[in-house]
Amino acid sequence: LTLLHTPTNMQSVFFVAILFLVALAWPSTAQAPSSPIPISSSSYAFSRGSLSSATTVDLWIDLGCSDCLNDWPLLSQVYDKYSDDVRFNYHLFPLPYHQFAFLLAKSANCVALHGSPGDVFNFFDTVYTPSNQALIYNSATANMTYNEVMTTTVSKFVTDSSDSLSATDFLDFMASDYDCEQNTRYQFKNAALSSIYGTPMYTVNGVTITDGLSTIEDWTTFLDGLVSSPL
């Protein structure tokens, strides 16, 4: 007759302790995030207009997007008309199929951080000039490197938009300033968290507007009812 060996209580405790120590030493599969969670009350937007207004228009744009280029004159007209009554937040959402959209978005953040107040909106105007926009389309940059586009094209957009940021300083900041890169990533992540899937897209007081705002008359009808309503 063969008897099965039954471990004593002390052996059992020892065995469990060994398993616990092995578990502690085993590499965790959880990885630290590659960048901090993008939490900000501003969502890293560029804001102008009546910053204390109860009416807020959020605009998600891509600086390399032809649809945004087409809408920019209208959006500028809306801002000019309602700048005293409405808060306008501009969010950059560089779409991956626009080859140098992220570079343009990062450049905008660099201008915002190191240029004069308001220069970032001058940069938007410069980029959305049709002749300039044509220089950064996929077809125009197909045979250019990242550095070539930045040094020959985008740096000129910057100096045309800001009197306080030289091309040399811009290129230095683009290469070394952590916040220029990180803020651009945060903007992309915040757009994704907001269920933004294309550009241009708009929300008014948090409500997504998908159509019906294609003329200044449409915007006037829509916004007049909001800015004239008592709180």
Side-chain angles (χ1 to χ4, degrees):
L1 180 65
T2 302
L3 298 177
L4 295 176
H5 175 68
T6 302
T8 65
N9 287 340
M10 183 61 68
Q11 288 174 316
S12 298
V13 171
F14 180 76
F15 180 70
V16 170
I18 291 297
L19 288 179
F20 179 73
L21 292 173
V22 169
L24 287 179
W26 196 263
S28 172
T29 57
Q31 298 294 321
S34 59
S35 61
I37 297 173
I39 298 175
S40 166
S41 59
S42 71
S43 298
Y44 302 92
F46 305 110
S47 301
R48 62 178 177 174
S50 178
L51 301 186
S52 61
S53 174
T55 302
T56 299
V57 174
D58 287 273
L59 309 100
W60 279 267
I61 57 176
D62 174 357
L63 295 175
C65 172
S66 58
D67 290 332
C68 294
L69 167 68
N70 294 335
D71 277 14
W72 190 247
L74 173 60
L75 299 178
S76 298
Q77 192 177 359
V78 172
Y79 169 75
D80 289 339
K81 184 170 184 177
Y82 290 97
S83 60
D84 291 334
D85 302 301
V86 175
R87 178 187 180 112
F88 292 86
N89 298 325
Y90 300 79
H91 307 261
L92 296 182
F93 186 45
L95 298 169
Y97 42 83
H98 295 144
Q99 185 169 328
F100 287 104
F102 188 88
L103 168 58
L104 290 167
K106 181 178 176 180
S107 300
N109 277 285
C110 184
V111 170
L113 288 168
H114 299 289
S116 299
D119 280 354
V120 68
F121 297 108
N122 296 336
F123 183 73
F124 291 171
D125 290 334
T126 299
V127 173
Y128 284 136
T129 301
S131 58
N132 287 338
Q133 187 80 180
L135 298 175
I136 47 85
Y137 282 149
N138 291 356
S139 56
T141 57
N143 297 317
M144 298 176 69
T145 67
Y146 179 97
N147 284 338
E148 286 173 340
V149 172
M150 183 163 61
T151 57
T152 64
T153 305
V154 179
S155 63
K156 187 176 187 306
F157 294 169
V158 170
T159 54
D160 287 346
S161 308
S162 174
D163 293 330
S164 56
L165 189 58
S166 69
T168 299
D169 288 342
F170 163 70
L171 295 173
D172 287 344
F173 287 132
M174 287 289 282
S176 61
D177 190 332
Y178 174 85
D179 288 335
C180 294
E181 173 82 14
Q182 205 67 6
N183 287 2
T184 311
R185 297 186 184 195
Y186 287 159
Q187 289 165 348
F188 182 90
K189 294 176 181 181
N190 271 293
L193 289 171
S194 302
S195 300
I196 300 301
Y197 54 84
T199 58
M201 288 185 70
Y202 319 120
T203 66
V204 179
N205 289 350
V207 178
T208 301
I209 310 298
T210 57
D211 55 27
L213 295 177
S214 57
T215 67
I216 188 61
E217 290 77 20
D218 294 335
W219 278 96
T220 299
T221 300
F222 189 78
L223 291 177
D224 276 356
L226 293 174
V227 300
S228 62
S229 298
L231 293 177

